[in-house]
Amino acid sequence: MNIKNLILIASLVLSPTIFAAGSASAFDKYKSGGAANFSASNGEKLWQRQVHSAKDNKMRSCSSCHTDNLTQMGKHHRTGKPIKPMAPSANSARFTKVKKIEKWFKRNCKWTWGRECTAQEKGDILTYLINYK
Amino acid sequence: MNRKIILGAVITTLLASSGVAMSDDDDDDHDGRKRGLFSRFFSKAGVTPVNNQPYIDECGSCHFAFQPGLLPARSWKKLMGGLDDHFGENAEFDSADAQKILNYLVAGAADTSSAHRSQSINNSIPRNSAPLRISETRYFLRKHDEIPPRYVTGNPKVGSFSNCEKCHTEAAKGSFSEHGVHIPGVGRWD
């Protein structure tokens, strides 16, 4: 077996572990904030929740940029820049770093809903996202 | 080896390198006249390309990663101070990371860079102003005043002047020469 194949196999075996590490420490963080019993179906509802913004008089939701089909490419609603699929089944680079997860939750919750998400909401949404098929 | 082959190789190399130099940026207003072939031959990219991965990760996730040499340091400081309302978006992050990004931007800013486009942009900005948009600097406006809105805001494939890379096919290399322009749905410009 040559080195290339070895590296390929190693990265295939390791990638789910990396993604699990990022989201696992995110879940630990939310639990230590008192949240529990995360639910994918609550997460889905939150994902689709439409909130009116007085800034542009439009409805905003997580799907404004990520779309409802999480295995597909999304698109930034203003700049049009493509956003890679959110489902780890379609994009193994998802949810690998707790810092990245937290940074985008903060920005996107504030922009979309006008406030930060609670630990419970973040846990529910993340459960929905990582289990999406 | 055959002499003809060597000569051929030398000529091809010369042609290829002058081709590269020609497609590099040429600035026709910085010193008031079109630059000659000679100065083109030695010119670098018009703006120093981005070479910092954390910057690309942080500032290239929603749009093209603008080169530090496109705005002066005072603009970058102001922009980095208002990331929670960044042109209507929320782009805030952890202050230690933000400081590193700011350091990178300031080190390559238009008022320190020796790249000729950076100098032209910087010279067009009044000392007492700190524009947040490259697309609102006088240099930019002058260079784009012949492009009708239907090619830009009225063109769903472009959307706005902020999306440099949609029209400037070499933007990521720091080259904004009109020779590299291809407006989506419209075509080449030169």
Side-chain angles (χ1 to χ4, degrees):
Chain A
M1 195 193 296
N2 67 25
I3 282 265
K4 258 194 195 152
N5 285 340
L6 255 176
I7 293 175
L8 187 72
I9 290 171
S11 57
L12 283 178
V13 174
L14 284 176
S15 61
T17 331
I18 297 168
F19 124 70
S23 47
S25 41
F27 283 124
D28 286 347
K29 198 173 170 202
Y30 307 146
K31 283 188 200 139
S32 72
N37 303 326
F38 299 122
S39 140
S41 69
N42 278 348
E44 181 173 10
K45 282 187 208 116
L46 293 167
W47 188 260
Q48 283 161 359
R49 186 169 163 233
Q50 303 272 337
V51 177
H52 178 264
S53 164
K55 285 196 178 144
D56 55 6
N57 201 23
K58 281 191 187 140
M59 301 305 283
R60 294 179 177 184
S61 72
C62 305
S63 31
S64 305
C65 296
H66 295 294
T67 78
D68 276 331
N69 185 341
L70 304 178
T71 61
Q72 302 287 310
M73 293 291 286
K75 197 172 128 197
H76 193 275
H77 77 112
R78 249 179 82 199
T79 60
K81 189 167 193 269
I83 301 175
K84 299 214 177 89
M86 285 304 266
S89 60
N91 174 6
S92 62
R94 279 295 166 215
F95 315 120
T96 46
K97 285 200 201 111
V98 62
K99 199 171 168 191
K100 176 171 179 184
I101 299 172
E102 284 290 277
K103 177 179 72 186
W104 284 101
F105 263 133
K106 187 170 183 188
R107 287 176 179 168
N108 293 344
C109 292
K110 279 189 170 180
W111 185 87
T112 316
W113 298 351
R115 61 163 174 83
E116 286 198 44
C117 289
T118 64
Q120 184 70 43
E121 288 168 332
K122 291 194 271 192
D124 287 346
I125 293 173
L126 204 54
T127 305
Y128 166 61
L129 295 175
I130 59 175
N131 291 306
Y132 191 94
K133 285 283 157 3
Chain B
M1 205 195 275
N2 188 318
R3 272 188 183 218
K4 266 191 192 153
I5 295 182
I6 297 179
L7 191 68
V10 169
I11 292 178
T12 324
T13 318
L14 275 178
L15 280 179
S17 55
S18 70
V20 169
M22 301 272 281
S23 63
D24 257 348
D25 280 347
D26 57 319
D27 198 303
D28 56 14
D29 71 303
H30 183 58
D31 50 9
R33 66 199 143 83
K34 200 99 187 159
R35 284 166 181 233
L37 190 63
F38 186 75
S39 66
R40 273 186 186 178
F41 206 86
F42 293 98
S43 73
K44 305 169 295 197
V47 177
T48 308
V50 171
N51 62 353
N52 180 295
Q53 194 57 43
Y55 177 75
I56 296 173
D57 293 343
E58 294 299 350
C59 303
S61 45
C62 299
H63 50 62
F64 173 66
F66 303 107
Q67 287 89 355
L70 290 170
L71 285 173
R74 58 186 183 282
S75 292
W76 292 127
K77 285 179 189 150
K78 194 166 148 195
L79 185 139
M80 293 300 292
L83 287 177
D84 57 333
D85 186 0
H86 177 71
F87 307 96
E89 305 293 313
N90 187 307
E92 66 189 287
F93 52 93
D94 175 314
S95 57
D97 291 341
Q99 187 58 46
K100 281 186 206 144
I101 299 289
L102 180 59
N103 293 345
Y104 172 67
L105 287 165
V106 167
D111 46 345
T112 28
S113 172
S114 62
H116 70 271
R117 291 264 187 241
S118 298
Q119 296 188 354
S120 305
I121 294 171
N122 188 50
N123 291 341
S124 84
I125 304 173
R127 288 280 157 268
N128 58 0
S129 86
L132 293 178
R133 283 185 184 272
I134 303 137
S135 59
E136 279 170 2
T137 61
R138 257 190 265 162
Y139 175 78
F140 184 97
L141 294 172
R142 191 168 70 238
K143 288 289 184 182
H144 296 85
D145 64 355
E146 285 167 28
I147 306 164
R150 65 174 192 283
Y151 291 177
V152 193
T153 43
N155 181 349
K157 288 187 183 137
V158 178
S160 103
F161 267 130
S162 308
N163 300 326
C164 320
E165 83 292 1
K166 297 275 168 67
C167 301
H168 291 278
T169 56
E170 308 269 273
K173 293 183 197 150
S175 174
F176 293 95
S177 155
E178 58 179 303
H179 308 303
V181 173
H182 181 282
I183 304 182
V186 179
R188 288 179 58 84
W189 190 261
D190 61 348

